Amino acid sequence: MRFQFALTLQAIWTGMCHAAMQHYPAAWGHYDVCKSQVYSDEGLTWDYMACQPEAADMTQFLKVTLDPPNITCGDPPETYCALENPYMCNNECDASTEELSHPPELMFDTEGRNPTTFWQSTTWKKYPKPLLVNITLSWNKTIELTDDIVITFESGRPEQMVLEKSLDYGRTWQPYQFYATDCLDAFTMEPKTVQDLSQHTLLDIICTEDYSRGYVWKNDKTVRFEIKDRFALFAGPRLHNMASLYGQLDTTKNLRDFFTITDLRIRLLRPATGATMVDESSLSRYFYAISDIKVQGRCKCNLHANSCVFDKEKLSCECEHNTTGPDCGRCKRNYQGRAWSAGSYLPIPKGTANICEYKQALAPSSIHKHVSSLTVAPQVALSTAPSVHAANSKRARVCDNELLRCQNGGECVNNRCSCPPSYTGLLCEKPRCESELGGCKGPDSGQASLKPPSLCSLLTLLLLDLLVVVVVFFLLGWLSPLIVKI
Ligand SMILES: *[C@@H]1O[C@H](CO)[C@@H](O)[C@H](O)[C@H]1NC(C)=O
Ligand SMILES: *[C@@H]1O[C@H](CO)[C@@H](O)[C@H](O)[C@H]1NC(C)=O
Ligand SMILES: *[C@@H]1O[C@H](CO)[C@@H](O)[C@H](O)[C@H]1NC(C)=O
Ligand SMILES: *[C@@H]1O[C@H](CO)[C@@H](O)[C@H](O)[C@H]1NC(C)=O
Ligand SMILES: [Ca+2]
């Protein structure tokens, strides 16, 4: 019976391999509809599809926090100079006067007006003590990035900064990208650009010198985190083959997680100092000023919702398919007839909805929880799986689908965190190799290297995984009377 189960899975996967390798025309599904009514032999019925909200400007929904909290200029009022001209010191920042204040909100207002509005820090009066600022953007909701993050600086761009992300509401942070005028000097990392990345190294965390030359390139004020260039590694230039990207996202959790965030943090480490050394006689020239931050993305709803609402200061998915939770991450009460599972982009163009089904009055079966972590095998009808009684109610629950406590992309499997290869610990909280800022430094400084993206080999691996898991489950089932407490 187990064998049969595996064969079914293999058939599905083989099908998916073929599907994902074909090339699809540009006009393919947009996943904007969750269900539609169709006529069939049984009359009018519903057809369910994978769906996701449209991408939007996510800066309207965030909470911004500065660290240190009193780092915004103007309290007490302060005069500052132009970076390029130490004698041009006729600017004033005064928090108590609206026209002269530069609060953090001005990083997210509508731009396009002249002069621009911007947040500004205090000046570097305490040089040589570093001028450090953290700007943390929190959504309290998982978001999937769909376009480049763009930060516009009004003074020079910083000489050193790090963009970091969190996937667990700010409990743990990972770097996204390092920025410096001199990467080796600042972070002991080789300078790279996004063009140096390939499908295999897409998840590498790089240091780039492209966005730090403040003085020479005075007209270029932006610092980017390039999402679209990374998408293009799978979807091709101009992203004409999004199907290929979605197929890849569907099957590679690492890749999906890479573009998923709950928070972002901009760590400003050293302001622009212009072409020369720091001029200690005129420290009022050095500060940070940001006029705009762009973050485009969509709510992560696990392909179970096509809209996301902002209500009571909080984003949440409007879940369909009888799912619930802020990310539609579980089945509604009484709809746990089979394991919750994320929807799937495959097969293109409509994907698979993986709806939650009404539960007959049956004892809860723990295998459901288990299979739910394998989002790759969506169509598996669990009724074909033998029922197993492995759950030991006395067992400590490290995590569950509500608590979502596993960090760094760990998945909750049978109330234990199953960690990605680069992390370990009860909650996947420990990086496997700990070093200073650059993280793990292999020959290619890969943090969480993407496995060669052969879809089929990946699926085969997952198939093996599942088999192991099923076998372990059976063993557990037989042994559970012997296990008193773990
Ligand atoms: C901010 O507050 C800290 C302590 O609360 C103080 O040491 C520091 O000087 C203050 N910084 C500024 C720029 O006012
Ligand atoms: C900023 O965040 C980092 C960790 O992301 C932390 O170590 C640091 O203390 C924070 N505060 C400042 C002012 O840098
Ligand atoms: C985040 O959202 C949860 C509900 O999903 C809510 O209970 C919590 O208070 C929110 N936290 C903050 C800091 O807004
Ligand atoms: C969800 O449950 C309701 C009944 O409460 C039913 O009418 C609806 O069709 C179900 N939706 C899905 C997607 O199964
Ligand atoms: Ca602005």
Side-chain angles (χ1 to χ4, degrees):
M1 200 161 175
R2 254 166 284 159
F3 192 53
Q4 211 173 24
F5 177 54
L7 279 183
T8 316
L9 289 175
Q10 188 168 37
I12 290 165
W13 280 331
T14 313
M16 278 162 63
C17 283
H18 288 302
M21 284 193 176
Q22 286 162 26
H23 286 265
Y24 288 88
W28 63 290
H30 294 283
Y31 304 109
D32 48 0
V33 180
C34 297
K35 61 183 177 193
S36 67
Q37 272 193 314
V38 290
Y39 287 96
S40 70
D41 296 344
E42 296 117 65
L44 205 55
T45 57
W46 287 101
D47 187 20
Y48 300 104
M49 289 150 271
C51 54
Q52 63 185 7
E54 240 178 278
D57 170 11
M58 284 292 152
T59 58
Q60 308 164 55
F61 312 116
L62 57 76
K63 192 175 120 240
V64 58
T65 318
L66 296 192
D67 180 31
N70 57 354
I71 197 69
T72 301
C73 68
D75 185 18
E78 192 176 9
T79 305
Y80 60 97
C81 312
L83 178 61
E84 315 86 69
N85 185 347
Y87 305 105
M88 230 173 82
C89 296
N90 47 6
N91 288 311
E92 200 188 352
C93 177
D94 180 353
S96 61
T97 311
E98 203 192 324
E99 307 85 76
L100 297 177
S101 67
H102 295 281
E105 302 86 81
L106 299 182
M107 295 186 279
F108 310 105
D109 56 349
T110 321
E111 270 307 334
R113 55 183 125 160
N114 211 358
T116 51
T117 57
F118 51 93
W119 164 80
Q120 186 171 313
S121 74
T122 57
T123 60
W124 201 0
K125 296 183 290 277
K126 291 190 181 143
Y127 175 87
K129 201 171 160 256
L131 181 62
L132 304 178
V133 184
N134 288 349
I135 301 173
T136 306
L137 316 181
S138 310
W139 282 271
N140 197 15
K141 167 81 189 80
T142 41
I143 305 284
E144 294 165 340
L145 298 174
T146 56
D147 204 342
D148 296 2
I149 296 168
V150 186
I151 306 161
T152 308
F153 285 85
E154 274 315 300
S155 62
R157 295 181 290 186
E159 289 187 358
Q160 291 173 17
M161 69 169 256
V162 189
L163 182 68
E164 294 182 331
K165 65 170 273 199
S166 173
L167 239 178
D168 54 12
Y169 308 95
R171 275 186 285 268
T172 62
W173 294 88
Q174 296 96 47
Y176 238 166
Q177 194 144 297
F178 293 83
Y179 301 84
T181 42
D182 185 335
C183 282
L184 266 177
D185 178 55
F187 302 114
T188 53
M189 291 171 82
E190 288 288 338
K192 288 198 179 163
T193 71
V194 72
Q195 277 75 37
D196 297 329
L197 296 175
S198 65
Q199 286 192 355
H200 299 249
T201 59
L202 189 148
L203 303 186
D204 282 7
I205 307 304
I206 60 169
C207 179
T208 177
E209 298 178 352
D210 275 8
Y211 304 105
S212 306
R213 284 162 299 226
Y215 191 75
V216 187
W217 305 102
K218 188 167 159 278
N219 291 328
D220 198 351
K221 298 171 161 186
T222 59
V223 171
R224 280 177 181 268
F225 180 65
E226 309 89 344
I227 299 285
K228 284 204 159 161
D229 288 337
R230 285 173 170 84
F231 282 171
L233 291 172
F234 288 107
R238 295 191 310 284
L239 308 181
H240 63 269
N241 189 4
M242 283 300 277
S244 157
L245 173 67
Y246 279 125
Q248 199 62 237
L249 285 171
D250 221 63
T251 48
T252 318
K253 183 172 158 39
N254 268 357
L255 184 66
R256 219 161 52 226
D257 283 352
F258 184 83
F259 298 110
T260 307
I261 60 167
T262 55
D263 304 71
L264 280 176
R265 176 175 286 164
I266 302 161
R267 294 181 62 191
L268 303 170
L269 301 176
R270 187 182 165 91
T273 60
T276 52
M277 303 285 284
V278 172
D279 174 5
E280 291 194 51
S281 67
S282 160
L283 291 171
S284 305
R285 291 158 65 191
Y286 311 120
F287 53 86
Y288 307 105
I290 296 179
S291 59
D292 194 50
I293 300 179
K294 285 199 168 34
V295 183
Q296 286 273 328
R298 63 167 59 96
C299 287
K300 174 182 167 133
C301 303
N302 286 299
L303 296 175
H304 289 309
N306 60 0
S307 72
C308 187
V309 292
F310 190 60
D311 186 29
K312 300 191 190 91
E313 305 280 287
K314 166 89 181 112
L315 278 174
S316 48
C317 301
E318 294 213 286
C319 301
E320 298 270 0
H321 304 160
N322 284 318
T323 61
T324 185
D327 305 346
C328 311
R330 54 184 198 267
C331 290
K332 270 189 188 164
R333 188 188 296 273
N334 298 331
Y335 284 89
Q336 284 138 353
R338 64 168 196 179
W340 175 89
S341 177
S344 164
Y345 286 115
L346 301 173
I348 285 158
K350 283 168 146 189
T352 311
N354 293 325
I355 60 170
C356 289
E357 285 176 356
Y358 191 75
K359 181 162 97 181
Q360 316 298 327
L362 268 182
S365 165
S366 60
I367 195 163
H368 288 181
K369 221 173 232 144
H370 206 104
V371 176
S372 75
S373 69
L374 290 164
T375 53
V376 217
Q379 298 97 330
V380 178
L382 283 161
S383 50
T384 64
S387 77
V388 173
H389 309 283
N392 183 335
S393 56
K394 287 193 183 118
R395 214 176 140 171
R397 285 153 65 101
V398 171
C399 59
D400 62 31
N401 282 335
E402 265 117 297
L403 288 170
L404 294 171
R405 288 178 57 201
C406 309
Q407 303 172 12
N408 296 305
E411 284 209 55
C412 191
V413 177
N414 195 23
N415 300 125
R416 298 273 148 164
C417 295
S418 155
C419 304
S422 45
Y423 288 93
T424 178
L426 204 59
L427 301 174
C428 312
E429 76 280 21
K430 294 188 212 123
R432 276 206 198 273
C433 37
E434 304 216 55
S435 64
E436 64 279 25
L437 266 172
C440 305
K441 293 227 181 55
D444 233 339
S445 95
Q447 264 245 325
S449 265
L450 185 56
K451 296 289 167 297
S454 154
L455 194 58
C456 295
S457 64
L458 196 85
L459 290 172
T460 311
L461 273 179
L462 283 165
L463 176 66
L464 284 176
D465 268 10
L466 183 81
L467 268 180
V468 170
V469 146
V470 166
V471 167
V472 166
F473 242 82
F474 269 81
L475 287 177
L476 265 180
W478 285 323
L479 290 179
S480 59
L482 306 176
I483 303 172
V484 181
K485 240 182 213 166
I486 295 179

